[in-house]
Amino acid sequence: MGDEVKPTKVIDARGSFCPGPLMEMIKAYKQGKIGDVISIYSTDSGTKKDAPEWIKKSGNELIGVYDRQGYYEIVMKKIR
Amino acid sequence: MPTNLKTVVIIGDGAAGTIMANKLRFHSDPSEIRIVVIGNSSRHYFKPDGVHIPFGFRDYRNSVKPSAALFNYGVEYLRDTVSGINLDDGSVTTVSGKTIEYDYLVIATGDRFTTGDLPGYDQEAFHFYSLEGALKLKDRLKDFKGGRIVIGQASIPIQCPPAPYEFTFQLDQFLRLKGIRERTEIHYVYPLNRVFTIQNVAAYIEGLFEEKGIIVHKMFNVDTIDSGSKRINSIEGESLPYDLLILVPPHRGQELLTKAGMADESGYVDVDRSHLNYGSYDNVFVVGDATNLPISKAGATAHFESEYLANRISSEVNGNAFFESYNGEVACTTITGPNEGITLFFSYTKPPRANFQSKSDYFLKWTSSDTYFSAMIRGIM
Ligand SMILES: Cc1cc2nc3c(=O)[nH]c(=O)nc-3n(C[C@H](O)[C@H](O)[C@H](O)COP(=O)(O)OP(=O)(O)OC[C@H]3O[C@@H](n4cnc5c(N)ncnc54)[C@H](O)[C@@H]3O)c2cc1C
């Protein structure tokens, strides 16, 4: 997680395969409110590409994609 | 009754429950294993024919058989609804008040359509995912004179992920035969940044869509349906007008499994991906669409899972060594155009290849209800 931003919701989708992690993220987005910071952990390499593309297309903010030990963390902010 | 007789209770009389029961009967002796299937459907519908029935390409009466007639000799079939699962006692209870004890439990309850999850769905959308849905859509298509058709799926996961694109190819063909293809726009919406979950298959299908003039809208996660203005809107902010909306309904697993504490509100059960057992129970298994496994919810999946599980249970009861595991095998054939089809084979470790269409795949799919009812459902294949 980026040091300065604390996530409102963390989804641990490690072990789940495409499109599971992205769908979990979209679900959390739907249930969340403007300003929420959503972080997702994924071991599926596809998520690293798919999630940022979705965040951009949906008009939200990508805070970062981080390589953690053995998994990725993708952090977004809900702005619409 | 011999004391070493083991009872295997199977909940569900769809593809997975029926194939599982019939395969296990082939693999085991009735003096060693008693098989009881509890299911609540009077007829067994071959769902893959939903991509033909709305167009009149196939008579629906060939796609249904009485459920009770599909079990092999030596399988006990109880028409009832399971209302509770008691994992600690090793028993299930039914709506009619029975309590049935098991040594092994196989859950094969499939999933259900939760159209209430998407307001406006019931008033506006058509689909081909059940026999009723396919026949209703057939009626609607009879009067269709051209316009804008939007096709897609309300959510992920759904049964048979390739079915929406297969249906779209059939629709394209139907409109051409009817002579109204030029007067019709087909818009295909999909939740991901491609038209199918698996990258290489998606690229292949997208090429075929382009050839056929099917317009694609990627990353379209259905948010709302506005029946007044006849528009479907995505979470991503896109809005599409339609004259005819064909949308695979939202799916969830059965409430029974949520109530039993085996699943969250999605209703799908997490199982061991190599052994199909639930949690720490080595005598409770889930097969077919009811699992949360990261593979297609398909009859073919149920078939491969049942092959593994029937072997495992019969070996265990007989005291034979058994070292195999389920490797996520799925095979899936879809029609892609007149006289053309493709088959995808894949497993947990092998991604599918989709590099050619063939006439033989087309015929394989076209005749699949016959193969299914005469051999596959009986556990012969
Ligand atoms: C349009 C379409 C096209 C498809 N095409 C293909 C294809 O080409 N190839 C392929 O392999 N698959 C295909 N499929 C998918 C395939 O049909 C399903 O994956 C398969 O039917 C799953 O079988 P199942 O037994 O798990 O679930 P189901 O067939 O849904 O059966 C579940 C059964 O459990 C019963 N049940 C549920 N709850 C209870 C309870 N509490 N008590 C008692 N009984 C209960 C239900 O009545 C039902 O009979 C397609 C599906 C659709 C909709």
Side-chain angles (χ1 to χ4, degrees), chain B residues 225-238:
Chain B
I225 298 171
D226 183 343
S227 53
S229 61
K230 294 216 171 288
R231 296 186 83 92
I232 179 163
N233 308 307
S234 77
I235 293 178
E236 293 79 10
E238 209 176 332

Side-chain angles (χ1 to χ4, degrees), chain B residues 37-322:
Chain B
V37 177
I38 311 167
N40 59 8
S41 49
S42 57
R43 59 168 194 211
H44 191 113
Y45 166 53
F46 183 63
K47 294 182 227 175
D49 280 350
V51 303
H52 309 304
I53 291 167
F55 312 111
F57 292 165
R58 198 174 261 281
D59 184 336
Y60 80 90
R61 285 169 298 190
N62 295 323
S63 311
V64 278
K65 302 271 181 255
S67 300
L70 297 175
F71 292 99
N72 289 348
Y73 182 73
V75 173
E76 292 171 46
Y77 175 53
L78 193 66
R79 173 81 52 74
D80 208 339
T81 299
V82 172
S83 50
I85 300 173
N86 192 334
L87 295 173
D88 296 332
D89 282 5
S91 68
V92 301
T93 49
T94 71
V95 163
S96 73
K98 293 189 182 72
T99 297
I100 299 158
E101 292 182 355
Y102 62 81
D103 295 294
Y104 291 89
L105 178 65
V106 181
I107 297 167
T109 43
D111 52 19
R112 66 197 160 111
F113 302 143
T114 49
T115 55
D117 288 347
L118 181 58
Y121 185 95
D122 287 328
Q123 298 77 33
E124 285 299 294
F126 288 82
H127 73 85
F128 53 96
Y129 260 56
S130 64
L131 181 55
E132 294 71 22
L135 291 172
K136 208 172 133 204
L137 178 56
K138 185 180 179 199
D139 264 358
R140 174 68 181 88
L141 284 169
K142 239 187 267 162
D143 308 326
F144 189 74
K145 304 275 186 303
R148 221 177 135 103
I149 302 181
V150 175
I151 303 182
Q153 59 189 70
S155 61
I156 282 183
I158 58 167
Q159 290 173 42
C160 195
Y165 74 65
E166 182 178 34
F167 175 87
T168 306
F169 290 130
Q170 294 286 75
L171 174 70
D172 174 79
Q173 175 62 7
F174 168 78
L175 296 170
R176 284 174 205 277
L177 290 171
K178 225 179 156 191
I180 56 169
R181 181 64 181 96
E182 286 90 77
R183 278 187 268 141
T184 308
E185 279 180 19
I186 304 179
H187 293 259
Y188 189 83
V189 303
Y190 200 72
L192 305 180
N193 55 354
R194 48 189 177 272
V195 296
F196 188 60
T197 45
I198 300 156
Q199 187 76 56
N200 62 340
V201 180
Y204 187 78
I205 297 301
E206 228 175 303
L208 294 177
F209 274 176
E210 205 176 317
E211 266 173 37
K212 294 171 196 283
I214 294 158
I215 305 155
V216 168
H217 303 261
K218 294 181 221 172
M219 283 205 251
F220 192 107
N221 283 279
V222 178
D223 190 22
T224 54
I225 298 171
D226 183 343
S227 53
S229 61
K230 294 216 171 288
R231 296 186 83 92
I232 179 163
N233 308 307
S234 77
I235 293 178
E236 293 79 10
E238 209 176 332
S239 175
L240 293 175
Y242 60 81
D243 297 306
L244 172 57
L245 177 63
I246 303 173
L247 205 60
V248 175
H251 288 42
R252 289 194 199 206
Q254 306 295 352
E255 241 172 339
L256 167 74
L257 303 172
T258 308
K259 247 176 53 194
M262 299 177 73
D264 62 14
E265 85 285 0
S266 76
Y268 296 111
V269 183
D270 283 328
V271 291
D272 183 287
R273 56 192 242 137
S274 305
H275 304 101
L276 305 177
N277 61 302
Y278 167 68
S280 56
Y281 296 88
D282 58 9
N283 63 337
V284 177
F285 303 90
V286 188
V287 289
D289 291 352
T291 79
N292 216 357
L293 289 173
I295 44 174
S296 286
K297 295 193 182 301
T301 307
H303 168 255
F304 287 116
E305 288 171 342
S306 303
E307 181 69 33
Y308 157 76
L309 198 54
N311 262 311
R312 173 181 166 161
I313 294 176
S314 58
S315 299
E316 229 170 81
V317 172
N318 291 330
N320 294 330
F322 186 73

Side-chain angles (χ1 to χ4, degrees), chain B residues 22-34:
Chain B
N22 287 340
K23 273 195 185 290
L24 185 59
R25 192 65 298 159
F26 273 131
H27 283 290
S28 61
D29 193 287
S31 66
E32 288 164 339
I33 295 183
R34 174 181 174 224

Side-chain angles (χ1 to χ4, degrees), chain A residues 5-66:
Chain A
V5 201
K6 208 174 158 349
T8 325
K9 186 166 175 79
V10 177
I11 305 153
D12 188 351
R14 286 176 290 184
S16 160
F17 291 84
C18 161
L22 177 61
M23 289 298 129
E24 288 294 323
M25 181 170 224
I26 295 174
K27 196 162 111 195
Y29 164 82
K30 253 183 113 167
Q31 290 165 353
K33 52 184 192 310
I34 305 280
D36 277 0
V37 174
I38 302 163
S39 155
I40 183 150
Y41 302 164
S42 175
T43 40
D44 186 281
S45 59
T47 318
K48 200 179 165 186
K49 181 172 167 285
D50 291 354
E53 273 186 39
W54 181 80
I55 293 164
K56 201 167 136 226
K57 161 103 183 190
S58 61
N60 288 288
E61 186 187 328
L62 175 67
I63 294 181
V65 179
Y66 309 96

